[in-house]
Amino acid sequence: MGNIIDGKALSQAVKDEVRDEVPQLEAKYGRKPCLVVIIVGENPASQVYVRNKVKAAAYTGMGSELIELPADISEEALLAKIRQLNEDPAVDGILVQLPLPKHIDEEKVIDTIAREKDVDGFHPGNVANLWLGKDCIVPCTPAGVMRMLDTIGVELKGKNAVVVGRSNIVGKPMAKLLLDRHATVTIAHSRTADLGAVCRTADVLVVAVGKAGLVTGDMVKPGAVVIDVGMNRNAEGKLCGDVDYASASQVASWITPVPGGVGPMTIAMLMKNTIHCFVSRMEKKA
Ligand code: L34
């Protein structure tokens, strides 16, 4: 039976680190970091996530603001709002919660957020720096997964890591971070032939597809570490991941639950990223 990686407890520890740091930053730079979160429309899942982000920011003592915009806002009006926040010296981090309504081009939105305020690490400049091994903002979800792996003390060097999913937000940056730790990395996806066989090679298996029950226990190598990034709702509205927890937890050495796994870590790492953006800007000004 696998050990559970408690994302809730670990995210609390990360938030406490940030909470300890905020007063020191305020003493050093004369003000607190400030995060602005924008939500467009009324997607209920997104509303929960953004509220948790603002709540976490308040907990750490940093400044935060939630901007709620109507679903029918024009793309131009949203971009104008972002440009205004880009220019506002009191704002350190800007996050526009995804997904956006269909009439808004997400790529345009991501490109418009100033690179130095891009707490998500989605801006092309941040992505380039990540892949070039330069200083950058690491996207929150894969950063949270790395923190989980470090906490359980799993050795990555020379191990087989399989990432299932190739999104810009999770799969691709996840693969790069594992590669940086000298894992042998495979990226699998919906067109992978014999996904089970590929997954069974994994010492560390990260699943980020968005398909409930995609990975079952028979696809997990005995003793593997299994990280479930999936966030799905079943017919009863209950949250579940991409991994069939009941069967996979019988085989894995460590496994993350959903909820209470990667989700809370995403939010905790956002706090870290906000501090990173704040310090970078303050140091440039000095
Ligand atoms: N711009 N959009 C932007 N940045 C992000 O980093 C995200 N993501 C993803 C969706 N869109 C985004 C998130 O914030 C996914 N995501 C996210 C964040 C937190 C949680 C889940 C997804 C989370 O807190 N999950 C809880 C359960 C919450 C509930 O009850 O619904 C958990 O325990 O897993």
Side-chain angles (χ1 to χ4, degrees):
M1 187 72 187
N3 298 294
I4 296 168
I5 309 177
D6 186 343
K8 217 166 167 188
L10 186 52
S11 71
Q12 186 60 47
V14 172
K15 286 187 283 187
D16 284 337
E17 286 173 19
V18 174
R19 191 170 74 151
D20 290 344
E21 213 179 336
V22 166
Q24 298 167 29
L25 294 170
E26 190 177 12
K28 185 167 178 192
Y29 297 109
R31 69 172 181 86
K32 299 169 180 176
C34 175
L35 170 68
V36 174
V37 178
I38 300 177
I39 180 170
V40 180
E42 286 170 9
N43 178 320
S46 296
Q47 284 175 326
V48 172
Y49 307 154
V50 298
R51 277 187 204 128
N52 287 344
K53 289 175 185 188
V54 172
K55 220 188 280 172
Y59 176 81
T60 67
M62 67 173 72
S64 66
E65 189 190 347
L66 176 60
I67 300 180
E68 297 175 277
L69 300 172
D72 62 356
I73 189 174
S74 71
E75 181 182 274
E76 194 40 53
L78 175 60
L79 296 179
K81 184 73 209 168
I82 293 168
R83 288 190 197 103
Q84 181 203 328
L85 296 166
N86 285 343
E87 296 302 317
D88 186 341
V91 173
D92 303 292
I94 305 169
L95 181 147
V96 179
Q97 188 71 18
L98 304 177
L100 289 166
K102 282 193 179 57
H103 68 279
I104 297 175
D105 183 345
E106 287 185 354
E107 203 178 316
K108 256 192 212 166
V109 169
I110 289 167
D111 290 357
T112 300
I113 297 171
R115 199 197 73 88
E116 65 273 18
K117 297 189 179 187
D118 168 34
V119 283
D120 268 325
F122 295 167
H123 187 283
N126 269 319
V127 177
N129 281 0
L130 175 70
W131 286 91
L132 293 169
K134 296 182 182 177
D135 179 51
C136 66
I137 292 294
V138 176
C140 304
T141 300
V145 172
M146 294 310 290
R147 177 78 189 231
M148 288 175 135
L149 295 174
D150 287 341
T151 300
I152 63 170
V154 60
E155 170 71 85
L156 293 168
K157 189 164 74 184
K159 295 292 173 62
N160 291 334
V162 173
V163 179
V164 188
R166 52 178 158 178
S167 69
N168 290 332
I169 294 176
V170 184
K172 286 186 221 170
M174 189 73 246
K176 172 61 164 86
L177 295 175
L178 292 163
L179 191 58
D180 286 345
R181 299 292 191 83
H182 314 293
T184 301
V185 181
T186 302
I187 304 180
H189 46 79
S190 56
R191 317 281 171 86
T192 295
D194 202 346
L195 181 63
V198 174
C199 288
R200 274 188 295 275
T201 67
D203 301 302
V204 174
L205 179 60
V206 182
V207 190
V209 173
K211 208 169 169 189
L214 177 71
V215 169
T216 45
D218 59 301
M219 297 161 77
V220 176
K221 180 180 182 173
V225 175
V226 177
I227 308 287
D228 189 352
V229 184
M231 191 69 51
N232 311 295
R233 254 159 235 278
N234 67 14
E236 297 99 65
K238 233 183 101 192
L239 269 184
C240 60
D242 291 347
V243 175
D244 176 50
Y245 186 88
S247 61
S249 62
Q250 299 296 316
V251 190
S253 62
W254 289 93
I255 187 165
T256 64
V258 178
V262 174
M265 292 305 294
T266 297
I267 292 174
M269 299 317 281
L270 173 64
M271 303 301 114
K272 288 268 180 194
N273 282 356
T274 304
I275 284 189
H276 185 132
C277 287
F278 171 78
V279 171
S280 303
R281 290 182 61 242
M282 289 296 131
E283 291 293 327
K284 259 178 211 148
K285 267 187 207 155

